[in-house]
Amino acid sequence: MMAFTATQTPRERKLGEATQAASAYFGETITSKFVLDKSKRKNVARARMWCMAYIRWRFPEMSQPQTARLFQKKDHTTVWNAERRARVLFPDAIFCLGDADEVIGRIEALGLGGADAA
């Protein structure tokens, strides 16, 4: 998992974790600035959609409107559509594997995540 600094806000930490996971999935560097871009280009939109679905999976306590605000969107329907489309476009993504706590536990049991991983 990602290392966090004391100066990061909760918003920056969540976006950072999502973009780090997206970077691993897509095999290219994806930054918060990239997914917050207003562009409708296919690669930007898909990365943004992936990150929205990841955040909703990883932080279930966040509502769709809260997630929309995190991505500087006006309403929750953008998030709802992103979640729905991401599950179709990326069926092998981590957010399609089940409950976040269960999946993270399995990853850490394999020694692939957590603070111990190098």
Side-chain angles (χ1 to χ4, degrees):
M1 290 292 170
M2 184 176 176
F4 299 112
T5 64
T7 59
Q8 287 180 313
T9 65
R11 178 178 190 261
E12 290 169 333
R13 284 194 294 273
K14 287 174 182 162
L15 279 174
E17 182 177 330
T19 56
Q20 182 182 28
S23 293
Y25 181 82
F26 289 106
E28 60 186 66
T29 302
I30 295 173
T31 64
S32 296
K33 184 178 178 180
F34 185 77
V35 297
L36 294 176
D37 189 351
K38 302 273 186 216
S39 174
K40 293 183 180 182
R41 288 183 319 214
K42 191 175 189 177
N43 64 331
V44 176
R46 285 191 173 193
R48 183 183 313 116
M49 177 188 324
W50 197 98
C51 288
M52 285 182 186
Y54 177 87
I55 284 178
R56 290 281 296 145
W57 168 80
R58 179 69 175 89
F59 304 101
E61 69 279 2
M62 286 187 66
S63 67
Q64 288 177 336
Q66 288 172 321
T67 305
R69 285 190 297 274
L70 184 75
F71 284 88
Q72 302 170 348
K73 301 298 175 189
K74 292 182 181 176
D75 68 42
H76 71 284
T77 58
T78 304
V79 177
W80 179 79
N81 281 311
E83 286 183 271
R84 185 176 54 81
R85 291 193 64 215
R87 284 188 170 80
V88 172
L89 292 172
F90 314 113
D92 59 337
I94 193 167
F95 48 79
C96 293
L97 300 177
D99 178 72
D101 291 333
E102 175 191 335
V103 172
I104 291 168
R106 285 187 286 167
I107 290 170
E108 288 175 349
L110 293 171
L112 301 175
D116 303 342

